[in-house]
Amino acid sequence: MLKLRILIVSFFLSTFSFAQIEDAWVFFKDKPLAQQYVQDPSLMLSPKAIARRVKQNISIDSNDVPIYTDYISSVVNVIGNPILAKSKWMNAVHVRADYSTLKGLVDLPFVSKIEFANKAIDLVSSSGDRIMTSRRSTVRNKWAKEKIDYPYGLSLNQIQMLHGDILHQSNFTGEGVTIAVMDGGFIGVDTADSFKYIRDNQQIKGGYDFVNRSEYVYNLHDHGTMVLSTIAGYKENQLVGTAPNADFYLFITEDVGQETPLEESLWVEAAEYADSVGVDIINTSLGYTTFDNPLYDHSYLDMDGKTTFAARGLEYAHKKGILCVVSAGNDGDNTWRFIATPADSEYALTIGAVDANRSYASFSSMGPTSDGRIKPDVVAQGKSVRVCDSSDFVRLADGTSFSGPIMTGIAACVWQMFPDKTNTEIKDMIIESSDRYQNPDNSYGHGILDCKKIWDIKLKTGDLEGLVSNVAYTNPVKRKLIIYFGENENNWETIAIYNVKGRLIHKEIITKTNSLEIDVNGFSEGIYFFELKKAGEKYVDKFVKKL
C-alpha cells in the first residue's frame, strides 16, 4: 500500500510538472545595496514618508530598500517572461511560468524559497518536493452582493450614525491626512460634479493602474468611484463624504475581468508605493478567498492574518505607520460566512456592515479568524448607503465596500484631531470608542463608533479652542455652534449671542447637558460673541460664522 501511494504521487508530479503554468512568488535572500539606501532614505522615500516614520519612531531598514535589480534580471532570463509584480517588503517577485522552469529557480544562489499559489505544491528547497493536500473552498468574494438602486436622498445618516458630523462642524474634515484608495477603477472621478470639490482643490495627488501599468486610472470600473464618493464626494443636499478635505491617491490593483493571486501581489505593490509617497491611511474595499483556478483558493485556515500574501503585506504597511482600513467582505449570508483576506490581519481595522437602523446587515462577513480573533473590529452603515456612480447619480448601494470607506474618512478626521498619535493609537481609539467595546462579538465586532467619545478624549487633552472653565466650542462654524462642557461640568444657566455691534441675536435657557447645539445657519457671515451665565459667574468668548 505504501509503494502504491508513492507511485501515485510520483505520477501526479510527473504529469503535472511538464504541462502546468503556475503563479508563484520567488523570495530572495538579501539586498546587496541595502546599506547605501538606508544611509540615504531620500533615494527611496518621500519627505512625507520619512516624516511619518520619525513621528511614529519607526526605523528605516532594509525592508524599505528596493529589490536588487540584478536578481530580478536573472529570474527574467531563466523564465523568459517578465515579472508580474514585486514586493520590496518581502523581497519577492510574482512570476508565471511552467512548473519545471519555476522549480529550477530555487537552485539560484540568491533565491531563498518559492511559494506557489497552487495549494497542491509546496516547493521549499532544491532537495525535493513536498505534496500538500489541495484546500478547496466554495465562496463568493470581491464585490458580489453589492446592490445598486436609484432613489436620491441625504447621506446624513451614514455620517451621523457615528456622530461624525460633530467632527465636521468643528472643521475636522480630514485636512492634512493622505488616503490611498485601492480598487478596480475610478470612472467619472475626473468629470463628475460630485468630485469637483476635490479636483478644484487639487486633493487628488496621484494615481496608478498597477494592473495595466498605466498612470491613467479613470477607467475600467466605477466601484472605486462609488467607494471614493463615500469619503470625498460632495453634492449639496445629496451626498457629503466623511473626509472631504483629505488628500488622495487612486490605485487600481483589481483586475475586474478575472480573479487571480496576482491581485494580492499588486495590492502589496500598491501599498508599498503608497508608503513611499507618504500616505497615512489605506482604504481597501477588496477581499480574496477564491480564484478562477480552484487550486489557488484560500481556505478558512488561511484566514489567520499570517498566511496570505495580502495579509503579510498589510502587516508590513501597518508597521510602516499606515492605518489600513479593510472591508470585511460580503459573504455573511452564504456558506462561507467568514471574512476575506486581508481583513483577517490583526493589524487591519476591519469594518463590517449594519443597516440604517444600526442592525447587523446579513451579508456582512463574520469572524472569527481561524486563529480565534474577533472580526470585524467595528461596523458602520453598509446597507442603503448613498454613493455617487460614474454618471454622477447619487444612488443607494449595499456592501461592506462602503462601510469600510465611511470609516476610513472618519479615521482621517480623528487623525487630524490627534496628529501626534500613531496609527496603532488611532486604531485603538476607534475600537475603544465603539458601543460594544466591552462586549464584542463576531457580527458587530466592537460595535458602532461614537465620535462623542472621541470628543471627550479631545476635551481631556486640553487643546480645544476656548477651553476655559471646562468650556470648549467649535470655531469657525457654518450651521451649528456646538459648545462642550465636559463630563458632569455643566451648571451654566443661560447663553446669549451678540454680533460685533453688541446687538442681542439669540438667547436661551440651558438645561443640564454635556453639550449645547445652537442653529446659526441663518446668521450673517462674521464675528459673534457668546455669553454664558450662572449665579455670580460669566464666561464670554467669540466665534466666526462662515457661509
Side-chain angles (χ1 to χ4, degrees), residues 364-511:
S364 183
S365 292
M366 305 170 66
T369 59
S370 62
D371 58 340
R373 288 176 287 110
I374 290 283
K375 285 289 179 177
D377 292 297
V378 293
V379 291
Q381 186 172 342
K383 185 172 179 59
S384 299
V385 175
R386 269 71 178 183
V387 303
C388 174
D389 67 10
S390 58
S391 300
D392 205 30
F393 289 119
V394 175
R395 302 178 173 181
L396 290 181
D398 293 345
T400 61
S401 284
F402 310 117
S403 59
I406 286 172
M407 185 62 70
T408 291
I410 295 296
C413 298
V414 172
W415 216 342
Q416 182 189 357
M417 291 175 68
F418 297 93
D420 295 327
K421 297 288 187 184
T422 67
N423 59 338
T424 299
E425 290 171 327
I426 295 296
K427 177 175 177 279
D428 290 346
M429 187 183 299
I430 289 171
I431 292 173
E432 292 168 10
S433 299
S434 296
D435 65 356
R436 294 175 184 242
Y437 174 60
Q438 299 296 339
N439 189 30
D441 62 32
N442 285 299
S443 297
Y444 290 89
H446 297 87
I448 299 171
L449 171 64
D450 183 356
C451 287
K452 288 181 178 178
K453 295 180 180 179
I454 301 286
W455 262 113
D456 286 341
I457 297 171
K458 189 69 173 173
L459 278 169
K460 290 171 184 176
T461 67
D463 58 356
L464 273 176
E465 182 173 353
L467 191 60
V468 179
S469 301
N470 295 308
V471 175
Y473 63 95
T474 55
N475 189 29
V477 297
K478 290 186 177 181
R479 294 178 175 83
K480 289 184 179 180
L481 170 67
I482 306 177
I483 301 175
Y484 302 89
F485 302 110
E487 295 182 4
N488 304 317
E489 294 291 346
N490 173 36
N491 55 1
W492 298 103
E493 297 171 352
T494 63
I495 182 171
I497 298 178
Y498 301 87
N499 64 16
V500 290
K501 296 181 179 180
R503 181 187 172 194
L504 179 64
I505 304 297
H506 176 86
K507 186 174 183 178
E508 67 179 76
I509 296 173
I510 302 174
T511 58

Side-chain angles (χ1 to χ4, degrees), residues 86 89 180-182 208 210 213 251-253 264-277 279 282 322:
K86 58 184 183 294
W89 288 340
V181 179
M182 288 150 65
Y208 191 72
F210 287 86
R213 300 296 171 183
F251 297 136
I252 296 175
T253 64
E264 290 191 46
S265 297
L266 298 179
W267 187 96
V268 175
E269 188 173 343
E272 292 176 358
Y273 182 77
D275 167 47
S276 71
V277 296
V279 162
I282 288 174
I322 298 172

